[in-house]
Amino acid sequence: MDTRNKFWDKHASSYAKRTISDIPSYEKKLALSREYFSKDATAIEVGCGTGSTALLHAPYLKHILATDISAAMLDIAERKRQEQQIDNLSFQQATVEELVVDEPVDIVFALNLIHLLEDKETAIATIKSWLKPGGVLISSTPCLGDRMKFFKLIGPIGKALGLMPLVRVFTEQELLNSFQQQGFSIDTKWRPEKALSVFLVART
């Protein structure tokens, strides 16, 4: 298992207690995502954390497999799933690189994840291989290169001190280029004014 799980295992409890800072934007992302849902659709979420978004989306889909590198995160997610009695959602500990997908799916979610990956191009290509023709990758990604270029300097220091995980700094355009280089077309793009994250729906 990827050693990055140690950071997220350590911070799982505090992560679970965080509140959403911009509820209207979060709800709009949920609504935009659901425009691509059907009750026959299958989905994968990579980097699901404690499962909050997967739990909200599950009633609108046939099944979601939600994955994360952190066992502690997934323990919290599974407890919430059982409490809410949601049967069409399952969890698995795996990285993007480790996950084996036997049957292509309609939707893959990568929410607040791509900037935490060592190689976003390889990850996007891997995710594309899991999708059916016409399937969609739904992502929300901080593009720190547009407004926080200084993070390139402080990020590695924070990581070395164990205060933060690996964080990649790139612009929105660089992220769009990465999707398009892997053969995706952008169906939906939304970024609130002054927001760090861009919401994308990319179609195979």
Side-chain angles (χ1 to χ4, degrees), residues 14-134:
S14 59
Y15 182 89
K17 294 174 184 176
R18 292 181 187 175
T19 57
I20 297 169
S21 59
D22 184 352
I23 291 176
S25 290
Y26 180 68
E27 290 179 342
K28 180 167 181 176
K29 291 175 186 180
L30 294 177
L32 288 170
S33 298
R34 289 173 186 163
E35 292 178 8
Y36 296 86
F37 290 8
S38 77
K39 292 295 286 184
D40 296 323
T42 55
I44 294 170
E45 182 178 356
V46 285
C48 70
T50 58
S52 297
T53 300
L55 288 159
L56 291 173
H57 282 328
Y60 301 90
L61 297 163
K62 182 178 180 180
H63 185 265
I64 301 179
L65 170 63
T67 73
D68 201 272
I69 63 173
S70 168
M73 291 278 197
L74 294 175
D75 286 344
I76 296 169
E78 176 60 18
R79 287 198 298 272
K80 293 195 291 188
R81 186 196 69 78
Q82 292 181 17
E83 289 168 1
Q84 297 179 37
Q85 299 181 330
I86 293 179
D87 297 326
N88 65 329
L89 169 62
S90 55
F91 295 105
Q92 180 180 334
Q93 187 180 11
T95 65
V96 173
E97 299 87 354
E98 294 166 341
L99 185 63
V100 176
V101 177
D102 295 322
E103 294 290 335
V105 297
D106 300 283
I107 301 163
V108 175
F109 303 99
L111 307 171
N112 296 307
L113 175 72
I114 293 174
H115 66 302
L116 302 176
L117 301 177
E118 183 74 36
D119 182 349
K120 69 180 184 301
E121 282 74 22
T122 298
I124 292 168
T126 299
I127 289 170
K128 186 185 178 189
S129 73
W130 302 340
L131 285 164
K132 297 177 182 178

Side-chain angles (χ1 to χ4, degrees), residues 152-166:
K152 281 189 176 181
L153 299 175
I154 66 170
I157 297 172
K159 182 178 183 296
L161 295 174
L163 301 175
M164 62 181 65
L166 169 75

